[in-house]
Amino acid sequence: MSSPDFSQNYFQLFELPVQFELDTSALGTRYRQLQQELHPDRFATAGEHEQRVAVQYSAFVNEAHAALKAPLPRALYLLELAGMSQEQVSRQQVDGGFLMEQMELREKLESMHDLVDPDTVLDHLLEEIAGDIKMHRAEFKAAYEQSDLPAAASACVKMQYLEKLQLEAEQIEADLMDS
């Protein structure tokens, strides 16, 4: 095994450009290639040091893949590379209109169990949330490409709110299917 470079950023590791839009097929191909080359099982007969390095490098590859695979963690990682900490991102102000929309969406979600036929309402709510997430991803991309990091961070915070709400809505959907 050649000496792994733990100082690479995740984009360098996967030989991808440092940008929000990503070729997920290339990411998957490179991930599988790295896992084949570096999987700790391949070093079962190697020395203790090589085995430990293989485990650490495999963990590094897995962490990098998880960060780049989904848009929100990728956006947060891009901000980290640009010098913003998680705390700085989470302290970004979001506009009052967005917060009001979040309260209304949350109220709709909380009333699902009281509806006679919640499936249609829930479907519309999930579509609305997915549309909002898509819109804020586009906001992030535009702001990041213009090096407007505060605006990019604000878009990330909005995506975090919406993805949490989406997970809760999907859980209610699963609960309704089970009942």
Side-chain angles (χ1 to χ4, degrees), residues 6-172:
F6 289 100
S7 67
Q8 292 178 306
N9 72 43
Y10 298 159
F11 292 95
Q12 292 169 327
L13 177 67
F14 288 104
E15 300 171 351
L16 295 168
V18 180
Q19 61 188 31
F20 184 62
E21 291 298 323
L22 202 62
D23 180 349
T24 54
S25 175
L27 175 67
T29 300
R30 182 74 176 129
Y31 173 69
R32 286 186 294 280
Q33 181 185 24
L34 287 170
Q35 282 298 340
Q36 277 185 330
E37 291 173 17
L38 304 167
H39 196 278
D41 289 349
R42 294 196 62 204
F43 298 91
T45 59
E48 189 176 316
H49 175 73
E50 274 190 304
Q51 287 181 14
R52 190 174 57 249
V53 170
V55 167
Q56 290 170 338
Y57 205 61
S58 182
F60 180 64
V61 168
N62 287 335
E63 179 182 303
H65 183 255
L68 298 184
K69 169 172 84 169
L72 180 57
R74 185 181 329 124
L76 291 167
Y77 183 65
L78 283 167
L79 290 175
E80 181 184 327
L81 287 178
M84 288 191 90
S85 69
Q86 292 282 340
E87 292 82 27
Q88 289 172 311
V89 172
S90 63
R91 280 185 290 184
Q92 289 302 309
Q93 296 289 325
V94 291
D95 56 90
F98 174 80
L99 293 174
M100 286 299 293
E101 289 174 21
Q102 289 305 295
M103 288 175 53
E104 290 171 10
L105 290 172
R106 190 157 295 285
E107 285 174 10
K108 284 183 191 176
L109 190 61
E110 290 171 0
S111 69
M112 286 297 151
H113 292 293
D114 300 333
L115 299 174
V116 175
D117 182 20
D119 292 336
T120 304
V121 176
L122 189 56
D123 287 345
H124 288 290
L125 184 62
L126 281 166
E127 286 176 23
E128 186 177 347
I129 293 168
D132 288 350
I133 289 172
K134 186 176 179 180
M135 178 181 66
H136 293 299
R137 284 178 185 162
E139 281 179 17
F140 173 84
K141 181 180 182 284
Y144 179 77
E145 288 175 353
Q146 295 171 0
S147 299
D148 185 353
L149 297 183
S154 179
C156 271
V157 171
K158 292 174 181 175
M159 289 189 290
Q160 288 174 320
Y161 273 103
L162 289 163
E163 288 195 8
K164 183 178 180 201
L165 189 65
Q166 186 177 44
L167 285 174
E168 292 172 18
E170 289 171 348
Q171 182 59 52
I172 289 174

